[in-house]
Amino acid sequence: TLIGYAAYLELKNENFVRSYEHLMEKLNAKNYTKYIEFSKLNAGIQSQGALKGYPVIDGVIRNTGDKDIADLWVRVRFLDRDGAIIFEVVFSPQEPSLGASTLTHVAIPYITGSLKVTLKPNGSLPFKKMLIDCPGEILSELKNGSGFARGPRRWSGKFEVEALSLSFRENKGS
């Protein structure tokens, strides 16, 4: 029972650490949002590459602050003409783009690490995300290329972007 209790305490400690880290990432996102800019945000049907024919959202993210962003998760909401949310997608803009990857991926078991790109201070990064489970009303407008839909509860062509969590890269030696 003493061993079981020690294992329980270790597990609770790990859960506490994970919860604390998650809370800090949320707080970082809230506090650092003023230094994150999104531009050229656009949704459409990809016309070339591996994602040809699929709905995607793309744009550019810029870090105007003074910290290296190691991991960022954002939520993009598609709004109707009244500003109500009709679809949302959560993703990391730092993950490699499936449609325009310049890296050759080779399975080498002894090499580990993240493929995410660190967003440096005053740096910018183009991103692309495939819209999985995109509603038909948005998909039809993307295929038509009109940028907005007609009728009630249809996509207006507008987005709302929110940073959900953010972690900074620790600078070694500082």
Side-chain angles (χ1 to χ4, degrees):
T1 49
L2 187 56
I3 293 173
Y5 184 67
Y8 169 77
L9 289 177
E10 185 64 30
L11 180 63
K12 287 303 266 181
N13 186 40
E14 289 175 18
N15 286 340
F16 174 75
V17 168
R18 273 186 251 138
S19 295
Y20 174 77
E21 289 172 350
H22 184 66
L23 180 61
M24 288 305 298
E25 289 170 357
K26 282 180 163 183
L27 288 172
N28 287 341
K30 232 177 205 216
N31 293 330
Y32 202 76
T33 295
K34 60 187 168 210
Y35 302 113
I36 299 171
E37 297 174 357
F38 287 90
S39 62
K40 301 180 184 176
L41 200 58
N42 185 42
I45 301 296
Q46 184 67 30
S47 62
Q48 59 188 2
L51 296 177
K52 184 176 182 178
Y54 290 99
V56 296
I57 186 165
D58 58 8
V60 177
I61 183 172
R62 180 170 169 76
N63 177 7
T64 61
D66 61 355
K67 296 182 180 185
D68 291 352
I69 299 174
D71 191 25
L72 172 67
W73 285 87
V74 298
R75 175 178 26 228
V76 177
R77 293 177 168 149
F78 290 68
L79 306 175
D80 71 5
R81 63 180 169 207
D82 297 324
I85 301 162
I86 56 175
F87 177 61
E88 69 181 27
V89 60
V90 175
F91 64 96
S92 173
Q94 295 165 283
E95 289 180 345
S97 168
L98 295 175
S101 177
T102 57
L103 300 173
T104 302
H105 300 286
V106 179
I108 303 174
Y110 54 86
I111 295 180
T112 60
S114 175
L115 293 176
K116 287 186 178 182
V117 177
T118 299
L119 188 55
K120 300 281 188 188
N122 294 313
S124 61
L125 177 71
F127 65 88
K128 185 175 297 186
K129 170 69 176 164
M130 185 167 78
L131 298 173
I132 299 171
D133 299 328
C134 185
E137 61 193 44
I138 294 174
L139 190 57
S140 66
E141 293 307 317
L142 294 177
K143 287 181 179 177
N144 292 336
S146 64
F148 62 91
R150 292 160 193 70
R153 305 287 306 154
R154 300 294 182 138
W155 182 45
S156 65
K158 295 182 181 171
F159 305 101
E160 185 179 88
V161 184
E162 175 188 15
L164 296 177
S165 70
L166 182 148
S167 60
F168 300 112
R169 191 180 109 227
E170 306 250 345
N171 292 327
K172 301 204 189 267
S174 56

